[in-house]
Amino acid sequence: MPVRYTSYQHFISRYFTCRIQKLPVDVGCTCPVRDGSKGWGGCSFCNGRSFVTAASDKTQSVAEQLAAGKAFYRRKYAARPDTAFLAYFQAGSNTYAPVSELSPLFEEAFSVEGVRGLVLATRPDCLSSEWLDYLVQLSRETFVMVELGVESLNDNTLLAVGRGHTVVQSAWAVRKLADLSIPVGIHLVFGLPGDDREQICQWSGVVSRWPVDVLKLHQLQILRGARMAREYADYPEHFQLFTPRDYVSLVVDFLEGLAPDIAVERFVSQAPSEALVAPRWGMKNEEVLQLIEREMVQRGTFQGKKTAL
């Protein structure tokens, strides 16, 4: 079967010859829209905890979390003994606090056997010159990748959901990291109020012109404890939540316009059942991915098809 999309494994194989597993870490980082710098309470769609795994417990040290993560993945996935690990500082904005505060925690991660690099999740507006200088220095010693929560390419939507940054800032952050030879990934959420299907399909062309290495896609999920959950309860008609079929169709449309050199690490999100209000698909991520692959086969299409015309 021909390759339908560019996988994360294809990307990571440029840097490692062994199998790589990311281990999430939570060190209690906040962000500008939670601490009052730009807002309070976070983005309207975020409850701050739904995508943090059970192995990530900020009351534990970085080394303890990584040890728990290694044990979890080896037990669940029977990881091969040659597997190496990336410490994935996932929760919050991990370049927001001063370098002096977070760099010792990164050093602690490297003290754990098998950890071969870092992945830092952060925001496009949290890359100070101090942080960029530090990331360049660190990247000379080990693998470092930055994931940016871009979320939408519509400034009106970003403002409405309380993101506190703009599309211009996202583009700047991606290009700045690329100019410094630091691999960069971005997150996009499909279905935020104000973003329609036509707009989302056009995003693939924009992202393709950015020097993005890896992309993570998420469908909008209404989460307990998020402000959007209250909005959804009061005004459900303002939301157009995807069915699995509609989401799969949209993702394939998007992929057709996405440059084939951008790896797709994630196609769908899965919040814990107890945290999820809607939509409740009752499907695992792997099942949705299978539907996406089947749709691509049925269409006879592939990532970048429209860019090749």
Side-chain angles (χ1 to χ4, degrees):
M1 179 184 296
V3 175
R4 300 286 175 178
Y5 63 87
T6 303
S7 68
Y8 178 74
Q9 181 57 40
H10 178 82
F11 159 76
I12 205 67
S13 65
R14 302 177 201 165
Y15 301 91
F16 299 96
T17 57
C18 61
R19 179 178 175 83
I20 293 294
Q21 176 65 58
K22 291 164 71 175
L23 299 177
V25 177
D26 182 356
V27 294
C29 288
T30 185
C31 73
V33 294
R34 285 191 175 276
D35 71 356
S37 175
K38 293 186 175 182
W40 298 98
C43 307
S44 64
F45 57 84
C46 179
N47 72 359
R49 293 300 302 169
S50 287
F51 301 102
V52 178
T53 69
S56 301
D57 181 353
K58 62 184 178 183
T59 65
Q60 296 183 319
S61 70
V62 169
E64 289 170 334
Q65 290 184 58
L66 290 171
K70 287 166 64 176
F72 173 83
Y73 282 104
R74 283 175 172 156
R75 181 172 62 253
K76 185 172 182 178
Y77 299 108
R80 297 197 304 258
D82 66 336
T83 299
F85 301 95
L86 300 178
Y88 179 23
F89 287 75
Q90 176 185 19
S93 299
N94 292 272
T95 61
Y96 184 42
V99 169
S100 59
E101 182 178 321
L102 290 180
S103 57
L105 302 179
F106 302 158
E107 294 299 324
E108 182 180 350
F110 289 120
S111 72
V112 176
E113 183 180 1
V115 172
R116 300 273 298 278
L118 300 177
V119 180
L120 306 181
T122 191
R123 293 165 49 96
D125 55 348
C126 290
L127 290 171
S128 65
S129 57
E130 177 193 31
W131 267 103
L132 291 170
D133 290 344
Y134 172 73
L135 291 174
V136 169
Q137 175 187 341
L138 192 60
S139 68
R140 296 189 182 118
E141 304 168 5
T142 188
F143 176 83
V144 179
M145 181 173 178
V146 174
E147 290 187 7
L148 299 171
V150 170
E151 317 307 7
S152 173
L153 299 185
N154 181 334
D155 278 332
N156 290 331
T157 298
L158 293 171
L159 180 63
V161 301
R163 278 298 292 172
H165 67 79
T166 65
V167 177
V168 167
Q169 287 174 303
S170 295
W172 175 87
V174 170
R175 293 193 174 102
K176 187 64 177 179
L177 290 165
D179 287 345
L180 297 173
S181 300
I182 296 171
V184 57
I186 68 171
H187 293 236
L188 292 174
V189 179
F190 288 177
L192 290 170
D195 292 339
D196 60 33
R197 184 188 183 95
E198 182 178 357
Q199 289 177 331
I200 292 170
C201 288
Q202 292 173 352
W203 293 355
S204 59
V206 177
V207 172
S208 295
R209 293 190 291 273
W210 292 0
V212 172
D213 295 290
V214 175
L215 177 63
K216 286 184 173 180
L217 303 179
H218 308 255
Q219 80 282 18
L220 175 62
Q221 297 180 98
I222 309 297
L223 304 175
R224 300 188 194 282
R227 293 201 314 277
M228 194 171 281
R230 297 192 295 273
E231 297 168 10
Y232 179 72
D234 292 339
Y235 305 102
E237 67 276 10
H238 293 176
F239 296 82
Q240 296 183 354
L241 301 179
F242 294 111
T243 65
R245 180 175 181 177
D246 288 341
Y247 183 72
V248 165
S249 175
L250 174 58
V251 168
V252 175
D253 285 347
F254 178 89
L255 289 177
E256 287 182 331
L258 183 68
D261 58 339
I262 298 175
V264 185
E265 182 176 0
R266 171 177 287 167
F267 290 90
V268 64
S269 294
Q270 186 176 28
S273 179
E274 64 273 13
L276 182 62
V277 175
R280 301 187 71 87
W281 289 354
M283 303 176 69
K284 296 181 179 180
N285 289 8
E286 309 88 77
E287 295 175 291
V288 179
L289 177 55
Q290 289 171 5
L291 292 177
I292 291 170
E293 292 173 332
R294 188 180 307 163
E295 176 77 6
M296 298 183 83
V297 171
Q298 289 175 347
R299 291 195 199 182
T301 196
F302 52 89
Q303 179 180 334
K305 180 178 181 179
K306 292 178 181 177
T307 68
L309 296 178

